[in-house]
Amino acid sequence: MRSDLFGENLESGTTDRFTLQNSRMVRVALDGEVMARQGSMVAYQGEVDFAYQGSGGMGKLFKKAFTGEGMSLMKVTGRGDVFLADDAMEIHLVNLDGDALTVNGSNVLAFDSSLTWDIKRVEGASMMAGGVFNTTFTGTGTVAITSHGTPVVLNVDAPTYADIQAAVAWSTSLTTSVRRTAGASALIGRGSGEAFQLVFAGQGFVVVQASEGRVAPPHTH
Protein backbone atom coordinates (compact mmCIF):
# COMPACT_ATOMS: atom_id res chain seq x y z
CA MET A 1 0.00 0.00 0.00
CA ARG A 2 1.37 3.43 -0.95
CA SER A 3 0.31 6.89 0.20
CA ASP A 4 1.89 10.18 1.25
CA LEU A 5 0.00 9.59 4.50
CA PHE A 6 2.59 6.97 5.49
CA GLY A 7 5.51 9.36 5.20
CA GLU A 8 5.95 12.17 7.69
CA ASN A 9 2.74 11.26 9.55
CA LEU A 10 4.12 8.04 11.03
CA GLU A 11 4.37 7.79 14.81
CA SER A 12 7.44 9.50 16.23
CA GLY A 13 10.24 7.12 17.12
CA THR A 14 11.83 9.15 19.90
CA THR A 15 11.90 7.96 23.51
CA ASP A 16 11.38 11.41 25.05
CA ARG A 17 8.59 11.60 27.60
CA PHE A 18 6.84 14.44 25.75
CA THR A 19 7.23 14.57 21.95
CA LEU A 20 5.38 16.72 19.44
CA GLN A 21 3.93 14.25 16.96
CA ASN A 22 3.09 17.30 14.87
CA SER A 23 2.21 20.90 15.66
CA ARG A 24 -1.26 19.89 16.90
CA MET A 25 -0.68 16.57 18.67
CA VAL A 26 1.67 15.49 21.45
CA ARG A 27 2.75 11.96 22.30
CA VAL A 28 3.49 11.09 25.93
CA ALA A 29 5.73 8.06 26.48
CA LEU A 30 4.04 7.03 29.70
CA ASP A 31 5.74 5.03 32.43
CA GLY A 32 4.01 6.17 35.59
CA GLU A 33 1.57 9.07 35.51
CA VAL A 34 0.89 12.41 33.89
CA MET A 35 -1.87 15.01 34.25
CA ALA A 36 -3.89 15.99 31.17
CA ARG A 37 -6.90 18.06 30.24
CA GLN A 38 -10.04 15.97 30.54
CA GLY A 39 -11.12 14.68 27.13
CA SER A 40 -7.81 15.45 25.40
CA MET A 41 -6.87 11.82 24.67
CA VAL A 42 -7.23 10.99 20.96
CA ALA A 43 -5.42 7.60 20.97
CA TYR A 44 -3.24 5.39 23.14
CA GLN A 45 -1.28 2.14 23.02
CA GLY A 46 -0.43 -0.07 25.97
CA GLU A 47 -1.88 -0.53 29.45
CA VAL A 48 -3.20 2.92 30.33
CA ASP A 49 -5.84 4.07 32.79
CA PHE A 50 -7.69 7.39 32.93
CA ALA A 51 -9.19 8.82 36.11
CA TYR A 52 -11.08 12.09 36.56
CA GLN A 53 -9.04 14.41 38.74
CA GLY A 54 -11.26 17.48 39.07
CA SER A 55 -9.16 20.52 39.86
CA GLY A 56 -6.60 18.90 42.12
CA GLY A 57 -7.96 18.89 45.66
CA MET A 58 -10.69 20.67 47.60
CA GLY A 59 -8.82 23.97 47.81
CA LYS A 60 -8.31 24.10 44.06
CA LEU A 61 -11.84 22.81 43.47
CA PHE A 62 -13.19 25.75 45.48
CA LYS A 63 -11.05 28.17 43.49
CA LYS A 64 -12.30 26.67 40.24
CA ALA A 65 -15.93 26.98 41.31
CA PHE A 66 -15.39 30.60 42.32
CA THR A 67 -13.32 31.69 39.33
CA GLY A 68 -14.62 29.63 36.45
CA GLU A 69 -11.06 28.48 35.80
CA GLY A 70 -11.32 26.10 32.84
CA MET A 71 -9.00 23.24 33.75
CA SER A 72 -10.79 19.96 34.46
CA LEU A 73 -8.07 17.32 34.68
CA MET A 74 -7.63 13.59 34.34
CA LYS A 75 -4.80 11.52 35.79
CA VAL A 76 -3.29 9.23 33.15
CA THR A 77 -1.41 6.25 34.59
CA GLY A 78 0.23 3.11 33.25
CA ARG A 79 2.76 2.20 30.60
CA GLY A 80 2.43 3.00 26.91
CA ASP A 81 2.06 5.84 24.43
CA VAL A 82 -0.73 8.39 24.85
CA PHE A 83 -1.63 10.92 22.15
CA LEU A 84 -3.20 14.20 23.27
CA ALA A 85 -4.76 17.09 21.36
CA ASP A 86 -7.26 19.90 21.89
CA ASP A 87 -9.45 20.82 18.92
CA ALA A 88 -6.42 20.96 16.57
CA MET A 89 -4.90 23.88 18.47
CA GLU A 90 -1.13 24.40 18.22
CA ILE A 91 0.87 22.70 20.99
CA HIS A 92 4.10 23.96 22.52
CA LEU A 93 6.27 22.20 25.11
CA VAL A 94 7.87 24.17 27.95
CA ASN A 95 10.52 22.41 30.05
CA LEU A 96 10.87 23.74 33.58
CA ASP A 97 14.12 23.20 35.47
CA GLY A 98 13.44 24.31 39.01
CA ASP A 99 11.71 27.48 37.82
CA ALA A 100 8.11 28.64 37.37
CA LEU A 101 5.59 29.51 34.67
CA THR A 102 2.10 31.01 34.75
CA VAL A 103 -0.41 29.69 32.19
CA ASN A 104 -3.97 30.59 31.33
CA GLY A 105 -5.95 27.56 32.53
CA SER A 106 -7.73 27.15 29.18
CA ASN A 107 -4.33 26.76 27.48
CA VAL A 108 -3.07 23.89 29.65
CA LEU A 109 -3.05 20.55 27.79
CA ALA A 110 -0.86 18.29 29.96
CA PHE A 111 1.97 18.39 32.48
CA ASP A 112 4.24 16.17 34.55
CA SER A 113 2.63 15.23 37.85
CA SER A 114 5.96 16.04 39.52
CA LEU A 115 5.24 19.75 39.03
CA THR A 116 3.54 21.75 41.78
CA TRP A 117 0.61 23.81 40.54
CA ASP A 118 -1.93 26.22 41.94
CA ILE A 119 -4.64 28.57 40.73
CA LYS A 120 -3.83 32.19 41.52
CA ARG A 121 -5.61 35.49 41.09
CA VAL A 122 -4.13 38.40 39.14
CA GLU A 123 -3.61 41.35 41.47
CA GLY A 124 -6.05 44.18 40.97
CA ALA A 125 -8.52 42.06 39.02
CA SER A 126 -12.16 42.17 40.01
CA MET A 127 -14.85 39.74 38.93
CA MET A 128 -15.86 42.45 36.43
CA ALA A 129 -12.64 41.63 34.59
CA GLY A 130 -13.75 38.06 33.97
CA GLY A 131 -12.12 36.54 37.04
CA VAL A 132 -8.51 36.71 35.76
CA PHE A 133 -7.31 33.58 37.53
CA ASN A 134 -4.45 31.58 36.08
CA THR A 135 -2.38 28.51 36.92
CA THR A 136 1.20 28.67 38.20
CA PHE A 137 3.54 25.69 37.71
CA THR A 138 6.78 25.31 39.68
CA GLY A 139 9.48 22.64 39.84
CA THR A 140 11.09 20.38 37.27
CA GLY A 141 9.12 18.86 34.43
CA THR A 142 7.27 19.59 31.19
CA VAL A 143 4.10 21.58 30.53
CA ALA A 144 2.28 21.22 27.20
CA ILE A 145 0.38 24.40 26.38
CA THR A 146 -1.94 25.18 23.49
CA SER A 147 -2.48 28.29 21.42
CA HIS A 148 -5.16 29.29 18.95
CA GLY A 149 -2.92 30.10 16.00
CA THR A 150 0.83 30.64 16.07
CA PRO A 151 1.77 32.77 19.10
CA VAL A 152 4.34 35.49 19.58
CA VAL A 153 6.73 35.63 22.54
CA LEU A 154 7.19 39.21 23.74
CA ASN A 155 10.25 40.17 25.76
CA VAL A 156 9.02 42.28 28.67
CA ASP A 157 11.49 45.02 29.54
CA ALA A 158 8.90 47.82 29.48
CA PRO A 159 5.21 47.86 30.51
CA THR A 160 3.46 45.39 28.20
CA TYR A 161 -0.29 45.03 27.63
CA ALA A 162 -2.21 42.02 26.30
CA ASP A 163 -5.83 41.12 25.85
CA ILE A 164 -6.95 38.92 28.74
CA GLN A 165 -8.09 36.09 26.42
CA ALA A 166 -5.02 36.34 24.17
CA ALA A 167 -2.36 36.00 26.91
CA VAL A 168 -1.36 32.31 26.98
CA ALA A 169 1.56 32.16 29.43
CA TRP A 170 4.14 34.39 31.09
CA SER A 171 7.08 34.51 33.45
CA THR A 172 5.93 34.14 37.04
CA SER A 173 8.54 36.74 37.96
CA LEU A 174 6.49 39.43 36.20
CA THR A 175 4.17 41.70 38.15
CA THR A 176 0.65 41.55 36.71
CA SER A 177 -2.32 43.85 37.04
CA VAL A 178 -5.42 44.75 35.07
CA ARG A 179 -5.96 47.95 33.10
CA ARG A 180 -9.41 49.10 32.15
CA THR A 181 -10.01 51.22 29.08
CA ALA A 182 -13.10 53.35 28.64
CA GLY A 183 -14.95 55.15 25.88
CA ALA A 184 -13.84 54.82 22.27
CA SER A 185 -10.49 53.37 23.36
CA ALA A 186 -12.35 50.25 24.49
CA LEU A 187 -12.53 49.23 20.81
CA ILE A 188 -8.76 48.78 20.41
CA GLY A 189 -8.89 44.97 20.21
CA ARG A 190 -10.68 42.46 18.02
CA GLY A 191 -13.56 41.78 20.38
CA SER A 192 -16.75 43.72 20.94
CA GLY A 193 -15.15 46.26 23.25
CA GLU A 194 -11.77 45.63 24.88
CA ALA A 195 -12.57 46.90 28.37
CA PHE A 196 -9.71 45.10 30.15
CA GLN A 197 -6.08 44.27 29.41
CA LEU A 198 -3.46 42.44 31.42
CA VAL A 199 -0.48 44.61 32.30
CA PHE A 200 2.95 42.99 32.67
CA ALA A 201 5.86 44.76 34.37
CA GLY A 202 9.38 43.68 35.27
CA GLN A 203 11.76 41.40 33.40
CA GLY A 204 10.54 38.29 31.60
CA PHE A 205 8.36 37.19 28.69
CA VAL A 206 4.72 36.79 27.76
CA VAL A 207 3.28 34.41 25.16
CA VAL A 208 0.37 35.90 23.19
CA GLN A 209 -1.76 33.81 20.84
CA ALA A 210 -3.05 35.06 17.48
CA SER A 211 -6.65 35.04 18.67
CA GLU A 212 -8.85 35.87 21.61
CA GLY A 213 -9.76 32.20 21.83
CA ARG A 214 -12.51 30.06 20.49
CA VAL A 215 -15.98 31.55 20.31
CA ALA A 216 -18.90 29.42 21.46
CA PRO A 217 -21.38 28.82 18.60
CA PRO A 218 -24.80 30.48 18.97
CA HIS A 219 -27.57 28.31 20.35
CA THR A 220 -31.26 28.48 21.04
CA HIS A 221 -33.13 27.51 24.17
Side-chain angles (χ1 to χ4, degrees):
M1 185 179 296
R2 295 189 300 272
S3 171
D4 292 341
L5 178 66
F6 302 118
E8 60 186 29
N9 296 317
L10 290 177
E11 179 183 352
S12 173
T14 70
T15 58
D16 295 342
R17 182 166 168 80
F18 283 79
T19 303
L20 287 180
Q21 181 65 40
N22 53 57
S23 64
R24 292 174 170 81
M25 186 183 300
V26 64
R27 188 196 73 173
V28 181
L30 188 65
D31 187 7
E33 69 176 45
V34 71
M35 304 297 292
R37 171 174 293 278
Q38 186 181 1
S40 62
M41 185 277 295
V42 294
Y44 70 91
Q45 297 173 310
E47 298 296 325
V48 180
D49 183 60
F50 302 86
Y52 175 63
Q53 195 66 18
S55 291
M58 289 304 296
K60 292 170 186 171
L61 184 62
F62 172 78
K63 289 182 183 179
K64 180 191 174 190
F66 181 70
T67 66
E69 172 72 11
M71 197 172 71
S72 294
L73 297 173
M74 59 184 180
K75 180 185 288 186
V76 187
T77 58
R79 187 180 181 92
D81 292 329
V82 182
F83 297 84
L84 305 172
D86 183 11
D87 198 22
M89 294 181 73
E90 284 196 4
I91 302 172
H92 304 273
L93 302 180
V94 181
N95 298 312
L96 301 182
D97 187 12
D99 41 14
L101 177 72
T102 299
V103 185
N104 186 322
S106 63
N107 296 97
V108 175
L109 178 64
F111 56 93
D112 278 314
S113 57
S114 59
L115 291 171
T116 299
W117 63 280
D118 194 14
I119 299 171
K120 296 189 176 181
R121 180 177 184 270
V122 174
E123 291 299 324
S126 66
M127 294 305 291
M128 293 294 292
V132 198
F133 288 79
N134 298 284
T135 307
T136 299
F137 296 93
T138 57
T140 299
T142 300
V143 182
I145 62 177
T146 61
S147 69
H148 193 186
T150 302
V152 61
V153 179
L154 302 177
N155 181 40
V156 178
D157 52 13
T160 301
Y161 305 83
D163 175 80
I164 288 176
Q165 283 75 41
V168 171
W170 57 89
S171 304
T172 305
S173 59
L174 293 174
T175 299
T176 56
S177 59
V178 173
R179 176 176 182 262
R180 181 173 183 174
T181 54
S185 63
L187 301 177
I188 59 176
R190 294 177 55 84
S192 56
E194 293 300 306
F196 300 96
Q197 295 93 43
L198 281 176
V199 184
F200 303 92
Q203 298 289 323
F205 66 86
V206 57
V207 181
V208 181
Q209 64 184 4
S211 167
E212 292 177 335
R214 292 164 289 189
V215 177
H219 62 279
T220 58
H221 296 283

